[in-house]
């Protein structure tokens, strides 16, 4: 599978999250050595009444449980929105090899915007970062969700 294929799966997770009334963000963690999806998830903040239940956090928890490891060395994360600072820190701690994200988040991002977690001297691991993958589709999904909320 290609990076776009994995991002399409993340977009499916995001759409499902939006249908549940969650901010439509989806994530997929892949072991590229085996072309194997370890975990996929969408936001569940409202459903679980848990501010840490972001798609990335849930996917990391599921992937580490499946792998039986505390780190995901060599694994890639695909997420539809630039991770927030909390998720960026978790990505670093999980030792994710490569981060692909869709839409940029100038307001709440923590990778290319805001706190830029991976640029801090205290950050022990910086994944390779590829932003803007299927950016327009991910951005439209988010914009439509928030437009509907404002009606």
């Amino acid at each position: 599978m290609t990076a776009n294929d994995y991002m399409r799966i993340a977009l499916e997770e995001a759409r499902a999250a939006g249908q549940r009334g969650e901010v439509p963000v989806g994530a997929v963690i892949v072991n590229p050595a085996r072309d194997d999806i370890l975990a996929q998830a969408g936001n569940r903040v409202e459903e679980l009444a848990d501010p840490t239940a972001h798609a990335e956090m849930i996917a990391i928890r599921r992937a580490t449980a499946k792998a039986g490891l505390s780190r995901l060395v060599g694994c890639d994360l695909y997420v539809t929105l630039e991770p927030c600072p909390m998720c960026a820190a978790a990505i670093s701690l999980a030792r994710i090899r490569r981060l692909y994200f869709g839409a940029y988040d100038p307001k709440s991002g923590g990778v290319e915007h805001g706190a830029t977690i991976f640029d801090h001297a205290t950050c022990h691991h910086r994944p390779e970062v590829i932003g803007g993958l299927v950016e327009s589709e991910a951005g439209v999904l988010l914009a439509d969700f928030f437009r509907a909320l404002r009606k």
Side-chain angles (χ1 to χ4, degrees):
M1 291 179 69
T2 68
N4 281 341
D5 294 330
Y6 291 124
M7 190 58 88
R8 297 266 171 240
I9 296 168
L11 283 165
E12 289 172 18
E13 288 288 342
R15 284 186 196 94
Q19 290 172 350
R20 293 190 304 271
E22 302 282 352
V23 174
V25 177
V28 175
I29 296 180
V30 175
N31 179 339
R34 295 192 316 248
D35 199 26
D36 180 36
I37 295 175
L38 293 175
Q40 57 193 74
N43 275 355
R44 293 190 178 274
V45 171
E46 302 304 324
E47 175 185 338
L48 299 176
D50 178 355
T52 70
H54 291 196
E56 304 95 306
M57 300 294 282
I58 295 168
I60 289 170
R61 288 180 191 128
R62 289 177 180 171
T64 55
K66 182 176 181 178
L69 301 168
S70 62
R71 292 187 174 86
L72 299 167
V73 175
C75 292
D76 298 342
L77 170 63
Y78 296 82
V79 63
T80 58
L81 179 64
E82 176 184 350
C84 73
M86 172 186 69
C87 292
I91 289 163
S92 177
L93 291 170
R95 304 299 194 264
I96 297 288
R97 177 185 78 140
R98 189 174 291 137
L99 166 65
Y100 295 88
F101 69 84
Y104 289 84
D105 190 353
K107 183 178 176 185
S108 300
V111 176
E112 301 287 333
H113 297 90
T116 60
I117 296 298
F118 304 140
D119 293 337
H120 288 256
T122 56
C123 182
H124 297 290
H125 171 75
R126 178 183 170 77
E128 181 181 348
V129 177
I130 297 101
L133 188 63
V134 300
E135 177 181 6
S136 60
E137 191 172 346
V140 166
L141 183 63
L142 286 157
D144 288 351
F145 175 81
F146 286 113
R147 189 173 14 265
L149 279 182
R150 292 184 193 105
K151 286 184 178 180

